[in-house]
Amino acid sequence: TINQMSTMNNARNLALILAIHAGSASAVEKESSTSSLRQVAADAAAFLRIEHKHHSTPTADGPPTATDLPRFGGEQGNACRRAALEKFKNDESIQVKKDALLAIMATDLYHTAVERCGPEIQMYDRASGLVCLLEEESSYNTTYASFWGGDNSDYGYVYYDGAYDLATMMEYTLSFTVLSSNVGCLADCYLGGDGCTELENWLTYSGTICKEQFCSLKWGEIDEAYHALRVCAAQAIAQPTDGDKDEYVSATHSNQVTSNLCAFNYCTSN
């Protein structure tokens, strides 16, 4: 069965509402799929080890710049992303959208997800803090916020905060009842690959970001944290209307692995 929504309030949300069909597979098909997923998971684990090994350490002379910092931006990054989030909160032109997210954040279901996924929200905030610092020091005109939110408002800064992004996830999945399909490779949205065809018409800057910008500004760090938070929330509160919860969580996790590996391949290839 295909479940589809067509009316969302920003490009990232609009593009993420593509329903996955619930079908039965033969035992051979399932075994083949499991084997492939195990290989992808092994590759992703190797990616995480390599990432950890190659992150830099702060310099000894003077305050560190964002490029000197390790994987996350610490207090500097947190201050940066909070200032960015204030732009979202203070933009009166998107009040209806903000009210919709605040209504979700007032629900018991949202609070259950927050309680279960606190570490994932913190990881998201640290990642977005680092991106925020790197963007401040860079000469690139397009930010993560403007890529996903466009130039006509400050809505994109919602994606610099894990708690708010969780609310956007609950919005486009109807509180994790719709088994929605994420884009196969978020990195393709930036770089113009084939894994983001569903988003192309919604994104002003689709395919216009160079690999150097994507990799050096660590946009993939936010995407990685986004996937981790989405999987955690699915495990915590998913009540799918089509299929069972195990299938829902499995599909969400599979998308996490393949999208993260795609980004890793971009930033490690010549």
Side-chain angles (χ1 to χ4, degrees):
T1 300
I2 301 294
N3 294 306
Q4 205 173 58
M5 291 177 59
S6 61
T7 55
M8 293 307 297
N9 55 26
N10 63 81
R12 194 183 190 208
N13 289 1
L14 275 163
L16 295 177
I17 312 256
L18 297 173
I20 285 180
H21 68 275
S24 61
S26 68
V28 173
E29 289 172 330
K30 289 183 178 180
E31 178 61 28
S32 175
S33 176
T34 301
S35 177
S36 298
L37 183 57
R38 284 173 182 156
Q39 183 58 53
V40 172
D43 291 340
F47 150 59
L48 293 176
R49 290 194 295 272
I50 292 170
E51 281 285 285
H52 177 75
K53 180 178 179 181
H54 285 88
H55 282 306
S56 59
T57 54
T59 56
D61 300 326
T65 63
T67 52
D68 293 324
L69 294 170
R71 185 180 182 92
F72 301 117
E75 288 304 315
Q76 287 176 273
N78 195 42
C80 183
R81 71 162 195 89
R82 284 182 177 276
L85 184 63
E86 285 302 308
K87 297 178 183 179
F88 161 78
K89 291 180 177 180
N90 294 330
D91 187 346
E92 295 181 357
S93 71
I94 54 173
Q95 192 61 49
V96 173
K97 299 176 182 179
K98 290 188 293 183
D99 289 344
L101 294 181
L102 289 174
I104 291 171
M105 296 169 81
T107 64
D108 291 339
L109 200 62
Y110 174 84
H111 287 291
T112 297
V114 168
E115 290 173 4
R116 286 282 300 276
C117 302
E120 286 76 14
I121 291 173
Q122 292 175 2
M123 181 176 78
Y124 189 111
D125 290 346
R126 291 193 297 268
S128 60
L130 177 59
V131 169
C132 184
L133 290 177
L134 289 168
E135 288 179 341
E136 283 191 342
E137 295 178 359
S138 79
S139 59
Y140 295 110
N141 293 325
T142 305
T143 63
Y144 191 86
S146 61
F147 184 90
W148 289 109
D151 293 323
N152 296 326
S153 74
D154 287 322
Y155 185 87
Y157 289 110
V158 73
Y159 300 122
Y160 287 56
D161 185 84
Y164 267 98
D165 200 10
L166 174 60
T168 72
M169 295 178 203
M170 292 183 66
E171 183 177 43
Y172 65 71
T173 63
L174 302 181
S175 296
F176 288 89
T177 60
V178 175
L179 183 56
S180 60
S181 173
N182 201 342
V183 174
C185 174
L186 286 178
D188 278 350
C189 300
Y190 313 119
L191 304 173
D194 295 335
C196 191
T197 55
E198 304 296 339
L199 269 163
E200 291 174 351
N201 294 331
W202 297 105
L203 293 169
T204 302
Y205 299 109
S206 176
T208 65
I209 306 302
C210 67
K211 185 169 75 170
E212 171 62 25
Q213 178 178 356
F214 169 69
C215 298
S216 66
L217 296 187
K218 305 291 185 183
W219 284 7
E221 301 279 356
I222 298 182
D223 294 342
E224 209 178 303
Y226 156 80
H227 282 298
L229 178 55
R230 189 165 175 233
V231 169
C232 178
Q235 293 170 330
I237 64 172
Q239 295 179 329
T241 57
D242 189 7
D244 62 33
K245 183 172 181 177
D246 288 342
E247 291 174 343
Y248 189 108
V249 173
S250 179
T252 306
H253 179 255
S254 178
N255 185 254
Q256 172 194 28
V257 173
T258 55
S259 190
N260 287 353
L261 183 59
C262 175
F264 166 68
N265 287 335
Y266 270 122
C267 293
T268 55
S269 63
N270 294 328

